[in-house]
Amino acid sequence: MIDEDRLENLAALGGAPSFEEKLHVGRPNIGDRATLMARIEDMLDRRWLTNNGRFVQEFEHELSKFLGVKHCIVVCNATVGLEIAIKASGLTGEVIVPSFTFVATIHALQWQEITPVFCDVDPETHNIDVRRVEELVTPRTSGIMGVHLWGRACDADALSDVAVAHDLKLLFDAAHAFGSSHQGRMIGNLGDAEVFSFHATKFFNTFEGGAITTNDDDLAARIRLMKNFGFAGHDKVVYLGTNGKMNEVSAAMGLTSLESIDEFVDINRSNYERYRQELTNVPGIDLVTYDGDESYNYQYVVLDVDEAVAGIGRDELVEVLWSENVIARRYFYPGCHRMEPYRSLYPHAGLMLPVTEKLADRLITLPTGTAVDPEQISEIARVIRTAVKHGPEIRRRLAELPKSGPNGNTR
Ligand SMILES: *Cc1c(COP(=O)(O)O)cnc(C)c1O
């Protein structure tokens, strides 16, 4: 256990790491193994491995029920899901989208030669700033793509008003938001369509996978055709399509994960509460909160580091944590507009994105989920408190050491 008064205890300054094994953000949650294995045996016995098999159909049915949405189409991953939703909705030209997201949101547009028009985010919610959206609309704009960051819903009503006023489609990247609600209704019912990710690093996983949800019958029909090469029957292709199908083993995992979802959320919530208790009153360190009456999945524990108050910078804190084998992540650093190809295509995008750039330089995500226990969280919090307590001294000593950690090249 770290002694908060003894700086030398920190691994970054020569002490032994607090954790022998690395603690990762997004370590998978796994449901009941025996149930999963029984499903896989069944699948092998039936020799039906993909192509809209029994598990995919059952999984889609259960998901629709869980989300209270009319159509749920499962796909091989959320990135392909976004590409299909974008194409099926008829987006072209320009789409207004936040840069403060995982790069797949933007790639899904650029892949189809649609121009992502980066919109800044709200400093409180970290979601697309509705007040900025309208001024970005041009004659080429065909849609808005919101991202429910950290599982907290975008201001869907206000976005919908802008979309209606300018005759735009409204899509949501809901990769973070499975199991979260908006105004008491499950996310999955907003805009024209929403796309979830069930990647292994998300709190609910199908190994790889995702789902597109919509209450629009025609859009759902197009999405179903598109994810299966446009096949409307044997030998009959009626539409441009791709291969976005989810396989049966992923659907089996999804059904099994769904049976444990309450447990996953409960653990995430109590982990989050523990972090919150342990980190209140640490100067310059603020936990991103989930308040109000909504449901959340609590899968992201996000810290905002105010360097001026904490006396230690975000990157230095990350370095201290990595040394302890706490592999905290800088989501979403540096911001999509500062990554290729966007950085070369739109070199001045940052001028319009002051909040995005500020958040990208301040936020840290910490390990949570079923792979982390409460004692480990307390220890992670002790490391953070120690680092802040001795911020200037740590900063001085780190500067004297050879570079390592996420900013260096030794790991
Ligand atoms: C994870 C993620 C994706 C991509 O999901 P995949 O299923 O891995 O393709 C897209 N957008 C956001 C915001 C994500 O976090």
Side-chain angles (χ1 to χ4, degrees), residues 24-30 202-203 263-272 275 297-301 366-374 376-377:
H24 289 277
V25 173
R27 198 100 190 268
N29 293 324
I30 296 168
K202 303 318 202 258
F203 91 107
E263 184 198 327
F264 297 161
V265 172
D266 284 349
I267 289 172
N268 281 346
R269 190 195 300 112
S270 66
N271 286 350
Y272 163 79
Y275 272 118
N297 55 40
Y298 297 92
Q299 67 176 314
Y300 293 100
V301 175
L366 294 171
T368 183
T370 54
V372 186
D373 69 42
Q376 291 175 317
I377 289 172

PDB file of all heavy atoms in Angstrom, residues 24-30 202-203 263-272 275 297-301 366-374 376-377:
ATOM      1  N   HIS A  24      -6.036  -2.619 -16.692  1.00  0.00           N
ATOM      2  CA  HIS A  24      -6.374  -1.941 -17.943  1.00  0.00           C
ATOM      3  C   HIS A  24      -7.759  -1.311 -17.893  1.00  0.00           C
ATOM      4  O   HIS A  24      -8.643  -1.806 -17.202  1.00  0.00           O
ATOM      5  CB  HIS A  24      -6.338  -2.930 -19.110  1.00  0.00           C
ATOM      6  CG  HIS A  24      -4.954  -3.372 -19.465  1.00  0.00           C
ATOM      7  ND1 HIS A  24      -4.119  -2.635 -20.272  1.00  0.00           N
ATOM      8  CD2 HIS A  24      -4.250  -4.475 -19.104  1.00  0.00           C
ATOM      9  CE1 HIS A  24      -2.960  -3.264 -20.408  1.00  0.00           C
ATOM     10  NE2 HIS A  24      -3.003  -4.387 -19.705  1.00  0.00           N
ATOM     11  N   VAL A  25      -7.918  -0.246 -18.680  1.00  0.00           N
ATOM     12  CA  VAL A  25      -9.249   0.300 -18.940  1.00  0.00           C
ATOM     13  C   VAL A  25      -9.899  -0.607 -19.987  1.00  0.00           C
ATOM     14  O   VAL A  25      -9.273  -0.928 -20.994  1.00  0.00           O
ATOM     15  CB  VAL A  25      -9.143   1.745 -19.498  1.00  0.00           C
ATOM     16  CG1 VAL A  25     -10.502   2.265 -19.930  1.00  0.00           C
ATOM     17  CG2 VAL A  25      -8.511   2.661 -18.462  1.00  0.00           C
ATOM     18  N   GLY A  26     -11.134  -1.043 -19.731  1.00  0.00           N
ATOM     19  CA  GLY A  26     -11.831  -1.826 -20.741  1.00  0.00           C
ATOM     20  C   GLY A  26     -11.497  -3.296 -20.757  1.00  0.00           C
ATOM     21  O   GLY A  26     -11.598  -3.958 -21.787  1.00  0.00           O
ATOM     22  N   ARG A  27     -11.052  -3.822 -19.606  1.00  0.00           N
ATOM     23  CA  ARG A  27     -10.891  -5.283 -19.491  1.00  0.00           C
ATOM     24  C   ARG A  27     -12.278  -5.899 -19.600  1.00  0.00           C
ATOM     25  O   ARG A  27     -13.207  -5.444 -18.931  1.00  0.00           O
ATOM     26  CB  ARG A  27     -10.275  -5.559 -18.122  1.00  0.00           C
ATOM     27  CG  ARG A  27      -9.653  -6.905 -17.962  1.00  0.00           C
ATOM     28  CD  ARG A  27      -8.162  -6.848 -18.103  1.00  0.00           C
ATOM     29  NE  ARG A  27      -7.618  -8.202 -18.186  1.00  0.00           N
ATOM     30  CZ  ARG A  27      -7.205  -8.881 -17.128  1.00  0.00           C
ATOM     31  NH1 ARG A  27      -7.259  -8.367 -15.931  1.00  0.00           N
ATOM     32  NH2 ARG A  27      -6.733 -10.104 -17.277  1.00  0.00           N
ATOM     33  N   PRO A  28     -12.446  -6.963 -20.416  1.00  0.00           N
ATOM     34  CA  PRO A  28     -13.812  -7.438 -20.700  1.00  0.00           C
ATOM     35  C   PRO A  28     -14.569  -7.977 -19.487  1.00  0.00           C
ATOM     36  O   PRO A  28     -13.990  -8.622 -18.614  1.00  0.00           O
ATOM     37  CB  PRO A  28     -13.586  -8.576 -21.708  1.00  0.00           C
ATOM     38  CG  PRO A  28     -12.242  -8.354 -22.267  1.00  0.00           C
ATOM     39  CD  PRO A  28     -11.436  -7.644 -21.224  1.00  0.00           C
ATOM     40  N   ASN A  29     -15.868  -7.705 -19.472  1.00  0.00           N
ATOM     41  CA  ASN A  29     -16.790  -8.348 -18.537  1.00  0.00           C
ATOM     42  C   ASN A  29     -17.286  -9.626 -19.203  1.00  0.00           C
ATOM     43  O   ASN A  29     -17.698  -9.611 -20.358  1.00  0.00           O
ATOM     44  CB  ASN A  29     -17.989  -7.437 -18.257  1.00  0.00           C
ATOM     45  CG  ASN A  29     -17.594  -6.183 -17.504  1.00  0.00           C
ATOM     46  OD1 ASN A  29     -16.709  -6.202 -16.650  1.00  0.00           O
ATOM     47  ND2 ASN A  29     -18.248  -5.076 -17.822  1.00  0.00           N
ATOM     48  N   ILE A  30     -17.269 -10.721 -18.464  1.00  0.00           N
ATOM     49  CA  ILE A  30     -17.662 -12.011 -19.032  1.00  0.00           C
ATOM     50  C   ILE A  30     -18.791 -12.588 -18.182  1.00  0.00           C
ATOM     51  O   ILE A  30     -18.681 -12.656 -16.960  1.00  0.00           O
ATOM     52  CB  ILE A  30     -16.442 -12.958 -19.091  1.00  0.00           C
ATOM     53  CG1 ILE A  30     -15.403 -12.366 -20.046  1.00  0.00           C
ATOM     54  CG2 ILE A  30     -16.862 -14.363 -19.542  1.00  0.00           C
ATOM     55  CD1 ILE A  30     -14.049 -13.018 -20.006  1.00  0.00           C
ATOM     56  N   LYS A 202     -15.872  -2.632 -24.455  1.00  0.00           N
ATOM     57  CA  LYS A 202     -17.076  -1.986 -23.919  1.00  0.00           C
ATOM     58  C   LYS A 202     -17.631  -2.862 -22.791  1.00  0.00           C
ATOM     59  O   LYS A 202     -17.372  -4.068 -22.758  1.00  0.00           O
ATOM     60  CB  LYS A 202     -18.148  -1.828 -25.021  1.00  0.00           C
ATOM     61  CG  LYS A 202     -17.725  -1.043 -26.275  1.00  0.00           C
ATOM     62  CD  LYS A 202     -16.925   0.188 -26.050  1.00  0.00           C
ATOM     63  CE  LYS A 202     -16.963   1.191 -27.178  1.00  0.00           C
ATOM     64  NZ  LYS A 202     -15.756   1.188 -28.040  1.00  0.00           N
ATOM     65  N   PHE A 203     -18.435  -2.297 -21.904  1.00  0.00           N
ATOM     66  CA  PHE A 203     -18.808  -3.051 -20.693  1.00  0.00           C
ATOM     67  C   PHE A 203     -19.714  -4.238 -21.010  1.00  0.00           C
ATOM     68  O   PHE A 203     -19.795  -5.191 -20.255  1.00  0.00           O
ATOM     69  CB  PHE A 203     -19.459  -2.122 -19.659  1.00  0.00           C
ATOM     70  CG  PHE A 203     -20.957  -2.025 -19.774  1.00  0.00           C
ATOM     71  CD1 PHE A 203     -21.769  -2.644 -18.830  1.00  0.00           C
ATOM     72  CD2 PHE A 203     -21.537  -1.334 -20.806  1.00  0.00           C
ATOM     73  CE1 PHE A 203     -23.149  -2.562 -18.927  1.00  0.00           C
ATOM     74  CE2 PHE A 203     -22.910  -1.259 -20.916  1.00  0.00           C
ATOM     75  CZ  PHE A 203     -23.715  -1.868 -19.978  1.00  0.00           C
ATOM     76  N   GLU A 263     -25.695  -7.136 -13.217  1.00  0.00           N
ATOM     77  CA  GLU A 263     -24.506  -7.310 -12.368  1.00  0.00           C
ATOM     78  C   GLU A 263     -23.358  -6.413 -12.861  1.00  0.00           C
ATOM     79  O   GLU A 263     -22.679  -5.763 -12.059  1.00  0.00           O
ATOM     80  CB  GLU A 263     -24.101  -8.787 -12.407  1.00  0.00           C
ATOM     81  CG  GLU A 263     -22.942  -9.152 -11.515  1.00  0.00           C
ATOM     82  CD  GLU A 263     -22.326 -10.490 -11.937  1.00  0.00           C
ATOM     83  OE1 GLU A 263     -23.075 -11.368 -12.425  1.00  0.00           O
ATOM     84  OE2 GLU A 263     -21.097 -10.632 -11.787  1.00  0.00           O
ATOM     85  N   PHE A 264     -23.147  -6.374 -14.175  1.00  0.00           N
ATOM     86  CA  PHE A 264     -22.065  -5.529 -14.715  1.00  0.00           C
ATOM     87  C   PHE A 264     -22.298  -4.059 -14.317  1.00  0.00           C
ATOM     88  O   PHE A 264     -21.371  -3.360 -13.904  1.00  0.00           O
ATOM     89  CB  PHE A 264     -21.989  -5.618 -16.252  1.00  0.00           C
ATOM     90  CG  PHE A 264     -21.654  -6.972 -16.807  1.00  0.00           C
ATOM     91  CD1 PHE A 264     -21.940  -7.274 -18.140  1.00  0.00           C
ATOM     92  CD2 PHE A 264     -21.051  -7.961 -16.030  1.00  0.00           C
ATOM     93  CE1 PHE A 264     -21.640  -8.518 -18.680  1.00  0.00           C
ATOM     94  CE2 PHE A 264     -20.751  -9.212 -16.568  1.00  0.00           C
ATOM     95  CZ  PHE A 264     -21.052  -9.489 -17.891  1.00  0.00           C
ATOM     96  N   VAL A 265     -23.534  -3.611 -14.484  1.00  0.00           N
ATOM     97  CA  VAL A 265     -23.834  -2.207 -14.177  1.00  0.00           C
ATOM     98  C   VAL A 265     -23.665  -1.949 -12.678  1.00  0.00           C
ATOM     99  O   VAL A 265     -23.088  -0.928 -12.276  1.00  0.00           O
ATOM    100  CB  VAL A 265     -25.258  -1.819 -14.646  1.00  0.00           C
ATOM    101  CG1 VAL A 265     -25.637  -0.429 -14.145  1.00  0.00           C
ATOM    102  CG2 VAL A 265     -25.350  -1.871 -16.167  1.00  0.00           C
ATOM    103  N   ASP A 266     -24.145  -2.893 -11.838  1.00  0.00           N
ATOM    104  CA  ASP A 266     -24.010  -2.714 -10.384  1.00  0.00           C
ATOM    105  C   ASP A 266     -22.548  -2.577  -9.977  1.00  0.00           C
ATOM    106  O   ASP A 266     -22.202  -1.718  -9.152  1.00  0.00           O
ATOM    107  CB  ASP A 266     -24.625  -3.905  -9.637  1.00  0.00           C
ATOM    108  CG  ASP A 266     -26.146  -3.840  -9.639  1.00  0.00           C
ATOM    109  OD1 ASP A 266     -26.694  -2.782 -10.021  1.00  0.00           O
ATOM    110  OD2 ASP A 266     -26.781  -4.849  -9.270  1.00  0.00           O
ATOM    111  N   ILE A 267     -21.709  -3.410 -10.558  1.00  0.00           N
ATOM    112  CA  ILE A 267     -20.281  -3.353 -10.217  1.00  0.00           C
ATOM    113  C   ILE A 267     -19.676  -2.036 -10.708  1.00  0.00           C
ATOM    114  O   ILE A 267     -18.945  -1.367  -9.978  1.00  0.00           O
ATOM    115  CB  ILE A 267     -19.544  -4.584 -10.775  1.00  0.00           C
ATOM    116  CG1 ILE A 267     -19.959  -5.813  -9.962  1.00  0.00           C
ATOM    117  CG2 ILE A 267     -18.026  -4.384 -10.756  1.00  0.00           C
ATOM    118  CD1 ILE A 267     -19.470  -7.135 -10.498  1.00  0.00           C
ATOM    119  N   ASN A 268     -20.020  -1.658 -11.927  1.00  0.00           N
ATOM    120  CA  ASN A 268     -19.518  -0.369 -12.438  1.00  0.00           C
ATOM    121  C   ASN A 268     -19.952   0.784 -11.537  1.00  0.00           C
ATOM    122  O   ASN A 268     -19.177   1.697 -11.261  1.00  0.00           O
ATOM    123  CB  ASN A 268     -20.048  -0.093 -13.846  1.00  0.00           C
ATOM    124  CG  ASN A 268     -19.292  -0.854 -14.918  1.00  0.00           C
ATOM    125  OD1 ASN A 268     -18.219  -1.394 -14.669  1.00  0.00           O
ATOM    126  ND2 ASN A 268     -19.855  -0.898 -16.110  1.00  0.00           N
ATOM    127  N   ARG A 269     -21.219   0.732 -11.107  1.00  0.00           N
ATOM    128  CA  ARG A 269     -21.726   1.827 -10.294  1.00  0.00           C
ATOM    129  C   ARG A 269     -21.010   1.874  -8.949  1.00  0.00           C
ATOM    130  O   ARG A 269     -20.594   2.932  -8.487  1.00  0.00           O
ATOM    131  CB  ARG A 269     -23.233   1.713 -10.086  1.00  0.00           C
ATOM    132  CG  ARG A 269     -23.813   2.983  -9.440  1.00  0.00           C
ATOM    133  CD  ARG A 269     -25.216   2.810  -8.875  1.00  0.00           C
ATOM    134  NE  ARG A 269     -26.189   2.427  -9.871  1.00  0.00           N
ATOM    135  CZ  ARG A 269     -26.805   1.246  -9.918  1.00  0.00           C
ATOM    136  NH1 ARG A 269     -26.560   0.326  -9.009  1.00  0.00           N
ATOM    137  NH2 ARG A 269     -27.668   0.988 -10.869  1.00  0.00           N
ATOM    138  N   SER A 270     -20.824   0.718  -8.324  1.00  0.00           N
ATOM    139  CA  SER A 270     -20.175   0.777  -7.008  1.00  0.00           C
ATOM    140  C   SER A 270     -18.690   1.129  -7.153  1.00  0.00           C
ATOM    141  O   SER A 270     -18.133   1.813  -6.297  1.00  0.00           O
ATOM    142  CB  SER A 270     -20.424  -0.491  -6.192  1.00  0.00           C
ATOM    143  OG  SER A 270     -19.803  -1.572  -6.795  1.00  0.00           O
ATOM    144  N   ASN A 271     -18.051   0.702  -8.252  1.00  0.00           N
ATOM    145  CA  ASN A 271     -16.668   1.143  -8.495  1.00  0.00           C
ATOM    146  C   ASN A 271     -16.610   2.663  -8.633  1.00  0.00           C
ATOM    147  O   ASN A 271     -15.741   3.330  -8.046  1.00  0.00           O
ATOM    148  CB  ASN A 271     -16.124   0.531  -9.792  1.00  0.00           C
ATOM    149  CG  ASN A 271     -15.784  -0.945  -9.655  1.00  0.00           C
ATOM    150  OD1 ASN A 271     -15.772  -1.493  -8.551  1.00  0.00           O
ATOM    151  ND2 ASN A 271     -15.527  -1.590 -10.769  1.00  0.00           N
ATOM    152  N   TYR A 272     -17.534   3.185  -9.408  1.00  0.00           N
ATOM    153  CA  TYR A 272     -17.579   4.629  -9.622  1.00  0.00           C
ATOM    154  C   TYR A 272     -17.796   5.360  -8.301  1.00  0.00           C
ATOM    155  O   TYR A 272     -17.121   6.356  -8.000  1.00  0.00           O
ATOM    156  CB  TYR A 272     -18.691   4.948 -10.636  1.00  0.00           C
ATOM    157  CG  TYR A 272     -19.113   6.396 -10.638  1.00  0.00           C
ATOM    158  CD1 TYR A 272     -18.356   7.355 -11.295  1.00  0.00           C
ATOM    159  CD2 TYR A 272     -20.259   6.800  -9.960  1.00  0.00           C
ATOM    160  CE1 TYR A 272     -18.738   8.683 -11.273  1.00  0.00           C
ATOM    161  CE2 TYR A 272     -20.647   8.124  -9.947  1.00  0.00           C
ATOM    162  CZ  TYR A 272     -19.881   9.059 -10.596  1.00  0.00           C
ATOM    163  OH  TYR A 272     -20.259  10.373 -10.570  1.00  0.00           O
ATOM    164  N   TYR A 275     -14.575   5.348  -6.294  1.00  0.00           N
ATOM    165  CA  TYR A 275     -13.650   6.366  -6.814  1.00  0.00           C
ATOM    166  C   TYR A 275     -14.086   7.750  -6.335  1.00  0.00           C
ATOM    167  O   TYR A 275     -13.273   8.578  -5.936  1.00  0.00           O
ATOM    168  CB  TYR A 275     -13.646   6.363  -8.348  1.00  0.00           C
ATOM    169  CG  TYR A 275     -12.660   5.409  -9.011  1.00  0.00           C
ATOM    170  CD1 TYR A 275     -13.102   4.379  -9.829  1.00  0.00           C
ATOM    171  CD2 TYR A 275     -11.287   5.582  -8.862  1.00  0.00           C
ATOM    172  CE1 TYR A 275     -12.205   3.526 -10.485  1.00  0.00           C
ATOM    173  CE2 TYR A 275     -10.382   4.742  -9.505  1.00  0.00           C
ATOM    174  CZ  TYR A 275     -10.852   3.719 -10.308  1.00  0.00           C
ATOM    175  OH  TYR A 275      -9.975   2.892 -10.948  1.00  0.00           O
ATOM    176  N   ASN A 297     -24.644   3.260 -17.520  1.00  0.00           N
ATOM    177  CA  ASN A 297     -23.891   2.001 -17.394  1.00  0.00           C
ATOM    178  C   ASN A 297     -22.596   2.192 -16.592  1.00  0.00           C
ATOM    179  O   ASN A 297     -21.953   1.220 -16.249  1.00  0.00           O
ATOM    180  CB  ASN A 297     -23.607   1.402 -18.776  1.00  0.00           C
ATOM    181  CG  ASN A 297     -22.890   2.386 -19.688  1.00  0.00           C
ATOM    182  OD1 ASN A 297     -22.001   3.109 -19.263  1.00  0.00           O
ATOM    183  ND2 ASN A 297     -23.277   2.416 -20.957  1.00  0.00           N
ATOM    184  N   TYR A 298     -22.239   3.422 -16.318  1.00  0.00           N
ATOM    185  CA  TYR A 298     -21.070   3.750 -15.480  1.00  0.00           C
ATOM    186  C   TYR A 298     -19.791   3.068 -15.958  1.00  0.00           C
ATOM    187  O   TYR A 298     -18.943   2.704 -15.162  1.00  0.00           O
ATOM    188  CB  TYR A 298     -21.318   3.378 -14.010  1.00  0.00           C
ATOM    189  CG  TYR A 298     -22.448   4.137 -13.375  1.00  0.00           C
ATOM    190  CD1 TYR A 298     -23.750   3.624 -13.378  1.00  0.00           C
ATOM    191  CD2 TYR A 298     -22.227   5.364 -12.770  1.00  0.00           C
ATOM    192  CE1 TYR A 298     -24.798   4.329 -12.791  1.00  0.00           C
ATOM    193  CE2 TYR A 298     -23.270   6.067 -12.180  1.00  0.00           C
ATOM    194  CZ  TYR A 298     -24.552   5.542 -12.200  1.00  0.00           C
ATOM    195  OH  TYR A 298     -25.577   6.233 -11.621  1.00  0.00           O
ATOM    196  N   GLN A 299     -19.675   2.879 -17.281  1.00  0.00           N
ATOM    197  CA  GLN A 299     -18.495   2.128 -17.745  1.00  0.00           C
ATOM    198  C   GLN A 299     -17.239   2.989 -17.849  1.00  0.00           C
ATOM    199  O   GLN A 299     -16.153   2.446 -17.995  1.00  0.00           O
ATOM    200  CB  GLN A 299     -18.759   1.414 -19.057  1.00  0.00           C
ATOM    201  CG  GLN A 299     -18.966   2.326 -20.260  1.00  0.00           C
ATOM    202  CD  GLN A 299     -19.122   1.531 -21.548  1.00  0.00           C
ATOM    203  OE1 GLN A 299     -18.363   0.609 -21.803  1.00  0.00           O
ATOM    204  NE2 GLN A 299     -20.107   1.885 -22.354  1.00  0.00           N
ATOM    205  N   TYR A 300     -17.399   4.310 -17.789  1.00  0.00           N
ATOM    206  CA  TYR A 300     -16.212   5.158 -17.852  1.00  0.00           C
ATOM    207  C   TYR A 300     -16.053   5.950 -16.564  1.00  0.00           C
ATOM    208  O   TYR A 300     -16.977   6.645 -16.139  1.00  0.00           O
ATOM    209  CB  TYR A 300     -16.281   6.115 -19.049  1.00  0.00           C
ATOM    210  CG  TYR A 300     -16.215   5.376 -20.365  1.00  0.00           C
ATOM    211  CD1 TYR A 300     -17.356   5.114 -21.106  1.00  0.00           C
ATOM    212  CD2 TYR A 300     -14.989   4.883 -20.827  1.00  0.00           C
ATOM    213  CE1 TYR A 300     -17.285   4.396 -22.299  1.00  0.00           C
ATOM    214  CE2 TYR A 300     -14.916   4.167 -22.008  1.00  0.00           C
ATOM    215  CZ  TYR A 300     -16.069   3.929 -22.738  1.00  0.00           C
ATOM    216  OH  TYR A 300     -15.992   3.214 -23.906  1.00  0.00           O
ATOM    217  N   VAL A 301     -14.896   5.821 -15.957  1.00  0.00           N
ATOM    218  CA  VAL A 301     -14.544   6.649 -14.803  1.00  0.00           C
ATOM    219  C   VAL A 301     -13.552   7.670 -15.345  1.00  0.00           C
ATOM    220  O   VAL A 301     -12.422   7.328 -15.710  1.00  0.00           O
ATOM    221  CB  VAL A 301     -13.914   5.806 -13.680  1.00  0.00           C
ATOM    222  CG1 VAL A 301     -13.444   6.705 -12.551  1.00  0.00           C
ATOM    223  CG2 VAL A 301     -14.915   4.773 -13.176  1.00  0.00           C
ATOM    224  N   LEU A 366      -9.987   5.807 -16.029  1.00  0.00           N
ATOM    225  CA  LEU A 366      -9.382   4.875 -15.066  1.00  0.00           C
ATOM    226  C   LEU A 366      -9.997   3.480 -15.198  1.00  0.00           C
ATOM    227  O   LEU A 366     -11.134   3.344 -15.648  1.00  0.00           O
ATOM    228  CB  LEU A 366      -9.611   5.394 -13.642  1.00  0.00           C
ATOM    229  CG  LEU A 366      -8.908   6.706 -13.292  1.00  0.00           C
ATOM    230  CD1 LEU A 366      -9.381   7.236 -11.942  1.00  0.00           C
ATOM    231  CD2 LEU A 366      -7.389   6.522 -13.297  1.00  0.00           C
ATOM    232  N   PRO A 367      -9.270   2.440 -14.777  1.00  0.00           N
ATOM    233  CA  PRO A 367      -9.787   1.069 -14.873  1.00  0.00           C
ATOM    234  C   PRO A 367     -11.030   0.868 -13.994  1.00  0.00           C
ATOM    235  O   PRO A 367     -11.079   1.345 -12.866  1.00  0.00           O
ATOM    236  CB  PRO A 367      -8.634   0.204 -14.339  1.00  0.00           C
ATOM    237  CG  PRO A 367      -7.421   1.054 -14.446  1.00  0.00           C
ATOM    238  CD  PRO A 367      -7.884   2.466 -14.272  1.00  0.00           C
ATOM    239  N   THR A 368     -12.013   0.166 -14.559  1.00  0.00           N
ATOM    240  CA  THR A 368     -13.177  -0.239 -13.772  1.00  0.00           C
ATOM    241  C   THR A 368     -13.704  -1.541 -14.370  1.00  0.00           C
ATOM    242  O   THR A 368     -12.993  -2.201 -15.127  1.00  0.00           O
ATOM    243  CB  THR A 368     -14.249   0.880 -13.733  1.00  0.00           C
ATOM    244  OG1 THR A 368     -15.322   0.448 -12.901  1.00  0.00           O
ATOM    245  CG2 THR A 368     -14.766   1.252 -15.107  1.00  0.00           C
ATOM    246  N   GLY A 369     -14.926  -1.924 -14.013  1.00  0.00           N
ATOM    247  CA  GLY A 369     -15.500  -3.169 -14.514  1.00  0.00           C
ATOM    248  C   GLY A 369     -15.257  -4.323 -13.563  1.00  0.00           C
ATOM    249  O   GLY A 369     -14.679  -4.154 -12.483  1.00  0.00           O
ATOM    250  N   THR A 370     -15.678  -5.517 -13.988  1.00  0.00           N
ATOM    251  CA  THR A 370     -15.631  -6.684 -13.090  1.00  0.00           C
ATOM    252  C   THR A 370     -14.209  -7.169 -12.816  1.00  0.00           C
ATOM    253  O   THR A 370     -13.997  -7.964 -11.908  1.00  0.00           O
ATOM    254  CB  THR A 370     -16.450  -7.845 -13.689  1.00  0.00           C
ATOM    255  OG1 THR A 370     -15.980  -8.097 -15.017  1.00  0.00           O
ATOM    256  CG2 THR A 370     -17.928  -7.507 -13.757  1.00  0.00           C
ATOM    257  N   ALA A 371     -13.235  -6.686 -13.604  1.00  0.00           N
ATOM    258  CA  ALA A 371     -11.856  -7.143 -13.402  1.00  0.00           C
ATOM    259  C   ALA A 371     -11.129  -6.336 -12.319  1.00  0.00           C
ATOM    260  O   ALA A 371      -9.984  -6.641 -11.984  1.00  0.00           O
ATOM    261  CB  ALA A 371     -11.084  -7.067 -14.720  1.00  0.00           C
ATOM    262  N   VAL A 372     -11.777  -5.312 -11.776  1.00  0.00           N
ATOM    263  CA  VAL A 372     -11.133  -4.468 -10.765  1.00  0.00           C
ATOM    264  C   VAL A 372     -11.906  -4.587  -9.450  1.00  0.00           C
ATOM    265  O   VAL A 372     -13.134  -4.492  -9.454  1.00  0.00           O
ATOM    266  CB  VAL A 372     -11.142  -2.986 -11.215  1.00  0.00           C
ATOM    267  CG1 VAL A 372     -10.368  -2.114 -10.259  1.00  0.00           C
ATOM    268  CG2 VAL A 372     -10.588  -2.849 -12.621  1.00  0.00           C
ATOM    269  N   ASP A 373     -11.197  -4.801  -8.342  1.00  0.00           N
ATOM    270  CA  ASP A 373     -11.934  -4.922  -7.075  1.00  0.00           C
ATOM    271  C   ASP A 373     -11.813  -3.638  -6.241  1.00  0.00           C
ATOM    272  O   ASP A 373     -10.971  -2.777  -6.515  1.00  0.00           O
ATOM    273  CB  ASP A 373     -11.515  -6.187  -6.307  1.00  0.00           C
ATOM    274  CG  ASP A 373     -10.100  -6.105  -5.775  1.00  0.00           C
ATOM    275  OD1 ASP A 373      -9.716  -5.030  -5.264  1.00  0.00           O
ATOM    276  OD2 ASP A 373      -9.368  -7.107  -5.854  1.00  0.00           O
ATOM    277  N   PRO A 374     -12.672  -3.498  -5.228  1.00  0.00           N
ATOM    278  CA  PRO A 374     -12.733  -2.238  -4.472  1.00  0.00           C
ATOM    279  C   PRO A 374     -11.400  -1.852  -3.820  1.00  0.00           C
ATOM    280  O   PRO A 374     -11.040  -0.665  -3.798  1.00  0.00           O
ATOM    281  CB  PRO A 374     -13.781  -2.521  -3.390  1.00  0.00           C
ATOM    282  CG  PRO A 374     -14.632  -3.609  -3.954  1.00  0.00           C
ATOM    283  CD  PRO A 374     -13.740  -4.431  -4.823  1.00  0.00           C
ATOM    284  N   GLN A 376      -8.456  -2.459  -4.933  1.00  0.00           N
ATOM    285  CA  GLN A 376      -7.575  -1.918  -5.988  1.00  0.00           C
ATOM    286  C   GLN A 376      -7.950  -0.468  -6.298  1.00  0.00           C
ATOM    287  O   GLN A 376      -7.074   0.372  -6.518  1.00  0.00           O
ATOM    288  CB  GLN A 376      -7.681  -2.786  -7.250  1.00  0.00           C
ATOM    289  CG  GLN A 376      -7.078  -4.176  -7.058  1.00  0.00           C
ATOM    290  CD  GLN A 376      -7.289  -5.081  -8.256  1.00  0.00           C
ATOM    291  OE1 GLN A 376      -8.371  -5.114  -8.837  1.00  0.00           O
ATOM    292  NE2 GLN A 376      -6.263  -5.821  -8.631  1.00  0.00           N
ATOM    293  N   ILE A 377      -9.245  -0.189  -6.274  1.00  0.00           N
ATOM    294  CA  ILE A 377      -9.673   1.193  -6.536  1.00  0.00           C
ATOM    295  C   ILE A 377      -9.159   2.127  -5.442  1.00  0.00           C
ATOM    296  O   ILE A 377      -8.662   3.220  -5.720  1.00  0.00           O
ATOM    297  CB  ILE A 377     -11.210   1.253  -6.673  1.00  0.00           C
ATOM    298  CG1 ILE A 377     -11.595   0.580  -7.983  1.00  0.00           C
ATOM    299  CG2 ILE A 377     -11.727   2.698  -6.615  1.00  0.00           C
ATOM    300  CD1 ILE A 377     -13.071   0.382  -8.183  1.00  0.00           C
TER     301      ILE A 377
END
